[in-house]
Amino acid sequence: ILSIMVPDKNGKYANVVLGHDSIEHVINSPEPFLNTTIGRYGNRIAKGKFTLYGEEHQLAINNGPNSLHGGPTGFHTRVWDAVQPEPSTVIFNYTSADGEEGFPGNLEVEMTYRLEDETNALVIEYRATTDKQICLFVIYILLKVFLVQTGQITFCWSSVYHIHGIN
């Protein structure tokens, strides 16, 4: 997210997103996770490895000895397919292949961004499906956005919390 334009009490609009001014700034930023979608996992995984159902998985390392936010070529570096079914809605899709950055299973992700007129809200919905039996630990998609409000910086994020599965 590059900008969210919000009016002040006098009706003057200003961008409240802290960070990049253009997509070129995002691509060349020394802070690659600022205002981007990160995943498959939104945090550090110690020593870049974990064991799931008795199988050890070694992840790409990009934060000292750890794997951070999905690795050096995680979701934040990927080009997502996008469609705009309505003027106020954009749907992004990405398929993360089995083994990408060391994570198990093919993962199909759908992210919907929708502006709601009634509530003046930006709604972000995530859906993810996989072809392997994995757990919430392995899927933790996160959008990191910093907002400026009356001179203060606010960290705002959204995340996948509910995973439903059928065996």
Side-chain angles (χ1 to χ4, degrees):
I1 294 178
L2 294 178
S3 68
I4 298 174
M5 302 301 287
V6 177
D8 65 14
K9 65 181 179 181
N10 299 318
K12 182 178 178 187
Y13 281 81
N15 182 8
V16 295
V17 175
L18 179 66
H20 309 295
D21 295 327
S22 70
I23 193 66
E24 289 78 23
H25 290 157
V26 173
I27 293 167
N28 298 309
S29 174
E31 173 46 66
F33 307 114
L34 182 62
N35 300 348
T36 62
T37 298
I38 55 178
R40 281 192 190 188
Y41 188 78
N43 207 335
R44 284 172 188 80
I45 296 177
K47 299 179 182 165
K49 59 183 158 184
F50 65 93
T51 302
L52 182 65
Y53 304 117
E55 184 179 347
E56 185 172 286
H57 297 272
Q58 179 63 56
L59 306 176
I61 302 297
N62 63 330
N63 180 250
N66 308 308
S67 178
L68 177 65
H69 297 332
T73 60
F75 289 179
H76 66 287
T77 68
R78 305 300 174 157
V79 176
W80 294 54
D81 294 326
V83 294
Q84 188 173 6
E86 299 172 10
S88 62
T89 304
V90 179
I91 301 171
F92 297 95
N93 290 285
Y94 177 70
T95 300
S96 176
D98 182 24
E100 183 176 287
E101 294 293 331
F103 289 95
N106 292 302
L107 182 68
E108 293 182 19
V109 182
E110 179 182 279
M111 234 178 3
T112 302
Y113 285 43
R114 183 177 63 255
L115 295 171
E116 291 192 346
D117 287 334
E118 309 83 42
T119 58
N120 198 26
L122 171 61
V123 177
I124 304 171
E125 298 173 337
Y126 300 90
R127 285 182 175 52
T129 58
T130 184
D131 61 353
K132 282 196 175 177
Q133 186 178 18
I134 58 177
C135 66
L136 177 59
F137 171 77
V138 183
I139 304 172
Y140 181 41
I141 304 164
L142 180 70
L143 172 68
K144 284 177 75 170
V145 178
F146 289 86
L147 304 176
V148 178
Q149 297 175 332
T150 62
Q152 298 178 342
I153 297 173
T154 303
F155 174 59
C156 179
W157 58 275
S158 65
S159 147
V160 171
Y161 282 116
H162 303 285
I163 303 291
H164 300 277
I166 300 173
N167 285 335

